[in-house]
Amino acid sequence: ENGSNKEQQVQALGKTFKKSAEQRKRIKDLIMRFCKRLTVRQFTVYPNFDKAFKSQFQLSSSDKSTIIFKDDVDDFSNWWKENVSDLLMDEPLGPEFRTLHEKVRNL
C-alpha cells in the first residue's frame, strides 16, 4: 500500500505541474496580445519542496528546469543569477523605458 501511495503522490505532482503550465500559458498568451516583443519566462514554484524532491517529478529535463524549489526561494538572488540574469534580451531597453521606470526597484 505504501508503494501505491507514493505513486499517487507522484501522479498528483505531475497533475499540479500540468495545471500550472496550462495557467502560465494562458497568462503568457494574454501578455503577448499586448506586447509581442516581450520575452516571457515561465516558472512554477514549489516552496514546500526541497531540490532533493526534484527526482520525484516525472517530467522532461526542460520542464524540471522551470521549477523553483524551497532552496531556490531561500536563496533567490543566487538562483536568479544562475538561471535568468545571463539570458540576453532581444532588444536593449530604450532610454524612455529607463526614464519611466528609474524609481522602480527590484524585489
Side-chain angles (χ1 to χ4, degrees), residues 34-52:
F34 295 101
C35 186
K36 295 188 186 325
R37 297 183 317 150
L38 187 63
T39 299
V40 178
R41 307 281 179 211
Q42 300 179 60
F43 303 97
T44 299
V45 179
Y46 286 94
N48 297 323
F49 294 105
D50 294 327
K51 276 186 184 177

Side-chain angles (χ1 to χ4, degrees), residues 45-51 68-79:
V45 179
Y46 286 94
N48 297 323
F49 294 105
D50 294 327
K51 276 186 184 177
I68 299 174
F69 291 94
K70 180 183 184 313
D71 319 56
D72 302 320
V73 172
D74 292 343
D75 189 11
F76 191 73
S77 61
N78 189 48
W79 179 90

Side-chain angles (χ1 to χ4, degrees), residues 86-104:
D86 62 336
L87 299 173
L88 299 175
M89 294 173 47
D90 295 335
E91 294 181 31
L93 297 176
E96 68 281 351
F97 180 88
R98 288 190 188 98
T99 302
L100 184 63
H101 295 90
E102 66 187 341
K103 294 184 181 178
V104 176

Side-chain angles (χ1 to χ4, degrees), residues 15-72:
K15 286 180 184 177
T16 62
F17 182 85
K18 183 179 177 187
K19 285 181 182 180
S20 171
E22 290 168 356
Q23 180 65 20
R24 287 185 285 126
K25 182 182 180 327
R26 286 191 293 268
I27 293 169
K28 179 183 177 185
D29 292 346
L30 177 65
I31 292 169
M32 298 304 289
R33 287 184 186 171
F34 295 101
C35 186
K36 295 188 186 325
R37 297 183 317 150
L38 187 63
T39 299
V40 178
R41 307 281 179 211
Q42 300 179 60
F43 303 97
T44 299
V45 179
Y46 286 94
N48 297 323
F49 294 105
D50 294 327
K51 276 186 184 177
F53 207 75
K54 192 175 203 173
S55 64
Q56 298 298 314
F57 285 85
Q58 296 178 343
L59 302 168
S60 69
S61 58
S62 64
D63 281 344
K64 284 183 182 181
S65 71
T66 67
I67 300 175
I68 299 174
F69 291 94
K70 180 183 184 313
D71 319 56
D72 302 320

